[in-house]
Amino acid sequence: QVQLAESGGGLVQAGDSLRLSCAASGRSFTSYAMGWFRQAPGKEREFVAAISWSGGNTYYTDSVKGRFTISRDSAKNTAWLQMNSLTPGDTAVYYCAANYVKSSGVVLTTVYEYHYWGQGTQVTVSS
């Protein structure tokens, strides 16, 4: 089992930066991939970024490429989402997600591939 705890959301102005963090606890001896999703009012939850268990593979949705960076620490128990050049279009509740994987290099990019979710943290970008 994996438990996730998120932090780092807030209210910022367009062009500012935020760093979200996600602390994972549980059976860390089993490999798990992690990802970030977001959900704006009236919209479906959408994929933002993902990282493999090894940390060596990442993937981003087109709208955040070049602005957002996903990473995880050497102990593989914390993930971050560094968000730069924020726009009002980035306003959403951001969720951390994880799931066990059999291969250390695989990335998971859909909500259906994740089983464990954080509580969500609100990111609001004003113009």
Side-chain angles (χ1 to χ4, degrees), residues 39-45:
Q39 187 167 21
K43 300 180 66 176
E44 295 184 0
R45 189 169 301 185

Side-chain angles (χ1 to χ4, degrees), residues 44-58:
E44 295 184 0
R45 189 169 301 185
E46 68 169 342
F47 168 77
V48 176
I51 189 166
S52 62
W53 167 249
S54 68
N57 293 319
T58 59

Side-chain angles (χ1 to χ4, degrees), residues 3-59:
Q3 296 82 45
L4 305 176
E6 298 160 299
S7 62
L11 173 63
V12 298
Q13 294 184 331
D16 287 349
S17 297
L18 277 176
R19 187 184 68 176
L20 308 182
S21 63
C22 176
S25 61
R27 296 164 62 91
S28 59
F29 53 84
T30 303
S31 303
Y32 54 92
M34 301 186 72
W36 289 94
F37 292 76
R38 65 187 182 187
Q39 187 167 21
K43 300 180 66 176
E44 295 184 0
R45 189 169 301 185
E46 68 169 342
F47 168 77
V48 176
I51 189 166
S52 62
W53 167 249
S54 68
N57 293 319
T58 59
Y59 193 80

Side-chain angles (χ1 to χ4, degrees), residues 82-117:
Q82 178 67 45
M83 305 185 295
N84 298 328
S85 301
L86 286 164
T87 74
D90 297 315
T91 296
V93 177
Y94 283 71
Y95 297 90
C96 177
N99 206 7
Y100 295 108
V101 294
K102 295 182 178 180
S103 300
S104 63
V106 68
V107 292
L108 308 177
T109 60
T110 72
V111 296
Y112 308 103
E113 294 175 289
Y114 287 94
H115 185 68
Y116 304 99
W117 295 85

